[in-house]
Amino acid sequence: VGVSDLAGRLRDIHEEPADISAGPEQVLGRVEELFDKLIDGLADDRPIWGIGIGLPGPVEYAVGRPIAPPIMPGWDAYPVRGRFAARYGAPAWVDNEVNLMALGEIRAGHARGQQDVVFLKIGTGIGAGLVSHGHLHRGAQGVAGDVGHVAITEDRSVICRCGNVGCLEALAGGAALARQATAAGRDGRSPYLAERLRDKDPLEATDLADAVAHGDPFSVELLSTAGRHVGSMLASLVNFYNPSLIILGGGVAGAGDQLLAALREAVYRRSLPLATRDLRITRSMLSDQAGLHGAAFMVIDELLSVERLPNWIDLGSPAGHPELADPLPE
Amino acid sequence: VGVSDLAGRLRDIHEEPADISAGPEQVLGRVEELFDKLIDGLADDRPIWGIGIGLPGPVEYAVGRPIAPPIMPGWDAYPVRGRFAARYGAPAWVDNEVNLMALGEIRAGHARGQQDVVFLKIGTGIGAGLVSHGHLHRGAQGVAGDVGHVAITEDRSVICRCGNVGCLEALAGGAALARQATAAGRDGRSPYLAERLRDKDPLEATDLADAVAHGDPFSVELLSTAGRHVGSMLASLVNFYNPSLIILGGGVAGAGDQLLAALREAVYRRSLPLATRDLRITRSMLSDQAGLHGAAFMVIDELLSVERLPNWIDLGSPAGHPELADPLPE
C-alpha cells in the first residue's frame, strides 16, 4: 500500500506479504488498516482524491470487481470498488496487477514515453500487461494479456491447473518450477537442491537463483528450458503485437541470467526480423513498486480524464459528487 | 479504387486484378489512370481532400512507405505517399491493407461500435488487423498482426518461405492449400481435383470450395485441418488480446463452412472460458470492399484529427498547406 500525490510521486509505502486465498474480507480488511495508518501519518488533513487497487487475477474494469479469478477463492464478483469508495468517500478504480505494473513502467519507469509495450510478469503464474499507443489495452472482458495458458507444446502429458494441456504456465510458471526443483532435490538429480531441502521443504522457484549462483547444472538447465518456453510464447506475441519494448518482472524473471538469455534467443529466432529490429527486452527497474506507481497513475488518469474534468471544475471537491465517489453503487 | 465523400460513403468504385510483383511503377501507374478516370467522372469540380492507399505488406505508417515487404519485389521503401501527394496536390496516407479492412469493418461493417476487434485475412498469405479501444493498433514498426509466421507445429518438416519452420502460413495459407490441392489431384488422392486439373493447372485455394460443395473427402479434410491450425493461432490471440469480435475475410475464409467450423472449435477448446464468453467469430460482410471503406476512413480520421483541424480551419483548403500535402517530401 502507498500514498501518492497528484503528480504520481509515491510519498509513503508499506509492504508485507498477503495470502490472497484468505478471501476478500481478511485481505481487504488488512489493506484498510494499512491505508488508515498511512493516511493518519500524513502531515496535514489533505483530502483523498481517489483509490487505486491491483488484484492478481482478471478484473472487469468497468465495474471494479474480479471475475472468475482462478486462484482467489471467495473473490468472484466481490465489490472491491464499492467497498473502498464507501469507506473513504472517494472514487475507486480496480484493475489487474500486471496491467498496473505496465502502466507504472510507461509512466514512471523504463518504458516512459514508449507507445507499444508488453510487461510480462513471471511469478507463480504468468501474465502480461499490454500498452497500445500509450494506453492500456484491457480487452473486451478485461482479460487481455492472459498468456499463461497459451499452448506451447503438443506434449499432452503437460497438464495445467486450468484443465488444458501444454500451457506455458504449466511449463515455466513459478509453481511448476518449484515442483520440479523439489522433485530434483528429493530424487538426487540435484545434490545442491537436496542439501537445501533439509532446511526448507518444499522449495520455491526463487531457490533456483541461489542454485544457479552455485553452479548447479540441473537448475541452470531448468531455468534455460523455462526461458525457451517463455521466449516461444513471446515470439508469437511479438509477431501479433509488434512492441518496441518488453519488460520482465516477477520472482522467476529475477532468478538469473540463464532464463533471460534463453528467452531472448527464442524471441530473436522465431519472430519476424522487422518486428525485432528495434525491440528491447529488459528487466523491470521499478521491480515490486511498478504496480504501486501504476495504481497511482490509474487514479490520476481517471480523475483528470477529459470526460470527468468538467465535473471537478464545477464541484471543487470529489466528495461533493456522489456518483463519482461510487460510480456503481453496490 | 474508389471515391468517397467526407462522411465515408463510397460514391464510385472500380475493381480489377493487379499483379503486385510487377513493381510500383506499373501498379501505381495503373492506379493513377483509374483515379484520373474516377475524378473526371465526378459531376462537378470538387477538391480532393486526401488519398488513402492500402498495400499487401508491412508499411511504416509514419512515412507512408512499404518496409521489407516479402512478396513485393521493388517496393521496399518506395515513396508511395510522396508520389500520390505530389501528383494530386493533396495529403496521402498509406497503410497495410488488412489494417484498412479492420478499420472499414469497425466504421462501416459488422464491427461498427465495437472496441476490441481482430480482422483476420486468410488469402494467399495470412494477416490480421488489430483494433484496440476503437483505434488501430499498428505496433512499433507498423507490423502488428503479422500472424502468418507464428509457430503452430513442432514438425520441422513444414518449411515456410520466410525461412522458418512450422509457420501458420506454410500450413493454412492459400498458397500452401493450392499446392496441396494440386498434388492431391496429380497423385489421384482426390479424383475430383484430378478432373479439375484437366482444365486448370495448377489449382488455386478457391477451387477447394467447389470440391467441398461436390463432397470431395480430401478437400473437406484439407480445409478442416487448415481451420484447426488457424484456430490454434487464434486461440493464442484471444488469450493475448481478448477481442469481442473476430472477423474473417479473404478467399480461403470464404471457401466453405468446414474451415470456419474447425476454426471455431479450436478457438473455444484452447482459449480461456472468460475470454470466449461473449466472443463472436463471423465472416466479413463488406468482403472485398472492407479495405476501400477503411482507406476512406483513414483519410477522414487524419483530416479531422484534433492535431490537424486548426490548420484546416485557418487555411480553408488543403492545397494551401504544402507540408500537409506531402508531410515527408521525397
Side-chain angles (χ1 to χ4, degrees), chain B residues 47 49 309-321:
Chain B
W49 284 83
L309 212 48
N311 289 326
W312 295 126
I313 291 167
D314 288 351
L315 291 163
S317 148
H321 209 260

Side-chain angles (χ1 to χ4, degrees), chain A:
Chain A
V1 298
V3 174
S4 150
D5 60 23
L6 281 172
R9 284 175 296 232
L10 291 177
R11 292 306 188 182
D12 197 0
I13 66 165
H14 173 87
E15 295 184 71
E16 65 177 50
D19 178 10
I20 196 80
S21 65
E25 292 302 335
Q26 193 174 323
V27 173
L28 297 181
R30 178 64 182 151
V31 169
E32 286 168 352
E33 270 177 46
L34 295 168
F35 267 3
D36 291 346
K37 263 192 223 170
L38 282 182
I39 293 165
D40 286 348
L42 291 176
D44 44 21
D45 199 26
R46 278 178 267 190
I48 299 169
W49 284 82
I51 297 168
I53 295 169
L55 295 176
V59 173
E60 197 167 349
Y61 184 73
V63 299
R65 296 165 180 242
I67 33 171
I71 51 165
M72 296 168 61
W75 288 83
D76 191 18
Y78 187 89
V80 178
R81 160 184 279 181
R83 176 172 176 145
F84 282 89
R87 182 178 170 103
Y88 294 98
W93 289 274
V94 187
D95 202 349
N96 172 271
E97 58 163 2
V98 188
N99 281 349
L100 294 185
M101 290 173 184
L103 187 60
E105 293 283 353
I106 61 166
R107 304 299 286 279
H110 255 329
R112 206 186 301 211
Q114 300 273 336
Q115 297 294 303
D116 301 293
V117 177
V118 172
F119 184 97
L120 185 73
K121 185 187 176 195
I122 319 176
T124 308
I126 297 178
L130 308 180
V131 175
S132 168
H133 216 78
H135 298 279
L136 279 176
H137 171 80
R138 294 189 170 94
Q141 271 78 36
V143 296
D146 213 336
V147 297
H149 304 283
V150 163
I152 289 297
T153 176
E154 290 162 1
D155 180 351
R156 300 189 61 83
S157 71
V158 178
I159 295 166
C160 184
R161 64 180 165 85
C162 78
N164 235 317
V165 293
C167 295
L168 176 62
E169 201 166 291
L171 288 163
L177 296 179
R179 260 197 315 277
Q180 292 179 68
T182 305
R186 290 212 180 111
D187 67 15
R189 271 176 297 161
S190 164
Y192 179 87
L193 294 173
E195 184 66 31
R196 203 172 178 94
L197 266 178
R198 294 191 193 179
D199 301 325
K200 178 180 179 186
D201 190 347
L203 296 172
E204 295 176 63
T206 45
D207 293 314
L208 290 165
D210 288 330
V212 166
H214 284 80
D216 176 51
F218 173 87
S219 302
V220 169
E221 177 57 29
L222 185 60
L223 282 180
S224 296
T225 305
R228 272 197 301 277
H229 288 311
V230 175
S232 168
M233 179 280 291
L234 278 179
S236 297
L237 187 48
V238 166
N239 285 356
F240 283 144
Y241 203 70
N242 186 206
S244 57
L245 177 63
I246 296 173
I247 305 172
L248 304 171
V252 176
D257 290 329
Q258 273 73 17
L259 184 131
L260 186 58
L263 181 156
R264 278 207 175 100
E265 194 215 318
V267 170
Y268 288 114
R269 186 169 49 79
R270 271 289 354 174
S271 300
L272 292 166
L274 191 54
T276 57
R277 198 171 58 180
D278 300 316
L279 175 67
R280 283 195 303 136
I281 303 176
T282 176
R283 284 218 189 90
S284 170
M285 296 282 281
L286 294 177
S287 181
D288 293 344
Q289 290 186 22
L292 269 184
H293 282 281
F297 280 109
M298 168 174 68
V299 171
I300 293 164
D301 288 354
E302 291 284 354
L303 286 173
L304 304 183
S305 68
V306 176
E307 293 80 20
R308 297 194 187 274
L309 210 49
N311 289 327
W312 295 126
I313 292 167
D314 289 350
L315 291 163
S317 150
H321 209 260
E323 85 280 9
L324 267 174
D326 189 4
L328 277 187
E330 308 305 328

Side-chain angles (χ1 to χ4, degrees), chain B residues 126-150:
Chain B
I126 298 178
L130 308 180
V131 175
S132 169
H133 215 78
H135 298 281
L136 279 177
H137 172 80
R138 294 190 171 95
Q141 272 77 35
V143 295
D146 214 335
V147 297
H149 304 282
V150 163

Side-chain angles (χ1 to χ4, degrees), chain B residues 281-299:
Chain B
I281 303 176
T282 178
R283 285 219 188 89
S284 169
M285 295 281 283
L286 294 177
S287 179
D288 292 344
Q289 291 186 20
L292 269 184
H293 283 282
F297 280 109
M298 168 174 69
V299 171

